[in-house]
Amino acid sequence: MTDPRLAHATEFGRMYSRSLSFAPEVPSITTVIAQEAKDMTGWAGHMAATELVNDPRLPGAVGSAPTLRGLAREASSAAERFRDAAAARGDRVHAYAEQVSLAALGAPGADPDGARRVLAEHGDVRFADRFDEWWQLYGVRPIAAEITVWNHTVGYAGTLDLVAEIGGRLCLIDFKTKGLTRDGRAKPLSESVVMQLVAGLRAEEMLVDPVAGTWSPWAYGQGAGGEDAMLLAVAISEAEVVPVQASPSGLRAHWRKFWALRQVWEHSRAVTETGRALRPIGPPPAGAGVGAVTPPAQASSDVQLAGSGADTGSGAPGGPVAGTVSGSANGVANGVANGAVSQRPSQFPSSS
């Protein structure tokens, strides 16, 4: 993940501020998209199991429970380590793509050679080679790189990897670093990238100066002919680069989904800010609710205040830990004394 100057890590995810001196105000595009839950437990378990069975220390650990537990503990973090390594590699590849773009724009200080050296130090120089091949083949003409955008109407901000002209069309481009499938091809992109691209397309402002906090109207939503910019996701792997276009016919649906996820983020934050949603509540005061109508079936049965299942009166599994407590005030008092009912402040009105 890139590190735009106005982006901040918060308890509500990554958020953006209007300038370096302002507090963060709106969620990032990727934070909004992350509101869609994805179950990764199966993958994490697979990663842990794979690392454990491939550990050369495993045969020697057979028969030693402490050693096996230690190996299992190390393997349990395999998914996290894989994720962190992939994120770091993605940052290096993105940095190279950015430096190539800035150099083509004539930006002072651009250093694609330095970014390539960093990739080479980590054994990732083939990503740079494949990127260069794609850049030349598609005749990419960069217009702006790593451009931060803002949408006031919906309330979000983000940073686009590249705005460029390709084949006479204005393009908004997002780069994704991908690993390889078993047959040596780039792994496919997630369709969530369409939400990321369409959110960029619907930007209203773009950053001019992060220090002064100056912004200008979004200038790259449409080409010179009035047509919408082409939205491209570019998968960069060591074997190939695979560019794909977000289908124009599906953009409205993906935009609506993004809008809905933005509402989820807003309401989730509001719920968090209200504090604890559940609080303990004690029994009513003695004599409270006297004369209240009680269903006959409930009045004729004892109230179990601990455990579950039928009352055996013996404290056996499935029965109440402290027997049963009748619905009378004395029964409740006895239940408190026996520890079956926790003593909490009552929220019920007294009978006085």
Side-chain angles (χ1 to χ4, degrees):
M1 180 181 288
T2 55
D3 189 23
R5 297 183 68 184
L6 298 187
H8 309 266
T10 77
E11 62 176 313
F12 306 111
R14 190 182 231 194
M15 297 180 66
Y16 276 78
S17 61
R18 293 289 288 177
S19 77
L20 293 178
S21 58
F22 286 10
E25 298 179 28
V26 298
S28 71
I29 293 172
T30 52
T31 293
V32 171
I33 295 172
Q35 302 307 299
E36 183 178 14
K38 290 181 172 61
D39 185 3
M40 303 295 288
T41 53
W43 172 77
H46 168 75
M47 294 295 296
T50 300
E51 175 156 315
L52 183 60
V53 299
N54 291 329
D55 194 320
R57 299 170 294 175
L58 183 60
V62 175
S64 172
T67 304
L68 285 173
R69 283 195 295 269
L71 295 182
R73 192 178 303 111
E74 290 181 26
S76 66
S77 63
E80 294 179 9
R81 285 183 273 112
F82 180 88
R83 177 201 62 199
D84 293 344
R89 183 182 63 191
D91 287 345
R92 293 190 293 269
V93 174
H94 271 75
Y96 178 73
E98 179 185 5
Q99 292 303 312
V100 169
S101 302
L102 292 174
L105 289 167
D111 186 14
D113 292 336
R116 175 180 275 271
R117 282 194 298 272
V118 172
L119 285 172
E121 290 168 2
H122 290 84
D124 294 329
V125 73
R126 284 177 293 182
F127 287 91
D129 293 338
R130 301 294 84 76
F131 179 85
D132 291 345
E133 292 167 0
W134 168 79
W135 186 274
Q136 295 297 325
L137 179 63
Y138 277 72
V140 181
R141 298 177 57 189
I143 297 172
E146 292 293 315
I147 182 168
T148 296
V149 299
W150 195 287
N151 180 300
H152 292 278
T153 303
V154 177
Y156 65 85
T159 299
L160 307 181
D161 289 337
L162 183 65
V163 178
E165 180 183 310
I166 299 177
R169 286 291 302 274
L170 179 67
C171 300
L172 305 185
I173 301 172
D174 186 77
F175 297 121
K176 298 294 184 187
T177 305
K178 305 299 292 184
L180 300 178
T181 61
R182 292 181 178 179
D183 58 357
R185 304 299 300 273
K187 290 183 177 179
L189 292 163
S190 167
E191 289 193 354
S192 64
V193 73
V194 179
M195 286 192 286
Q196 192 170 347
L197 289 165
V198 75
L201 179 69
R202 296 294 186 98
E204 296 171 347
E205 289 184 325
M206 56 186 185
L207 181 64
V208 176
D209 186 341
V211 177
T214 53
W215 299 71
S216 65
W218 175 232
Y220 303 120
Q222 293 183 326
E227 73 283 358
D228 284 347
M230 182 180 291
L231 306 183
L232 300 181
V234 179
I236 307 171
S237 76
E238 346 177 41
E240 61 181 346
V241 171
V242 182
V244 293
Q245 179 188 3
S247 175
S249 62
L251 296 185
R252 181 181 296 274
H254 284 276
W255 169 247
R256 287 174 174 171
K257 182 178 179 180
F258 178 84
W259 180 91
L261 290 172
R262 174 60 176 81
Q263 308 315 303
V264 171
W265 179 88
E266 187 67 42
H267 293 302
S268 296
R269 183 177 70 161
V271 166
T272 300
E273 290 177 340
T274 62
R276 294 178 60 183
L278 300 173
R279 61 181 182 179
I281 183 169
V290 174
V293 177
T294 304
Q298 180 179 340
S300 64
S301 63
D302 290 336
V303 179
Q304 296 180 0
L305 296 179
S308 60
D311 174 23
T312 64
S314 64
V321 174
T324 60
V325 181
S326 69
S328 68
N330 289 336
V332 172
N334 290 334
V336 172
N338 291 331
V341 180
S342 59
Q343 300 185 54
R344 302 287 188 182
S346 177
Q347 304 298 326
F348 296 100
S350 66
S351 59
S352 59

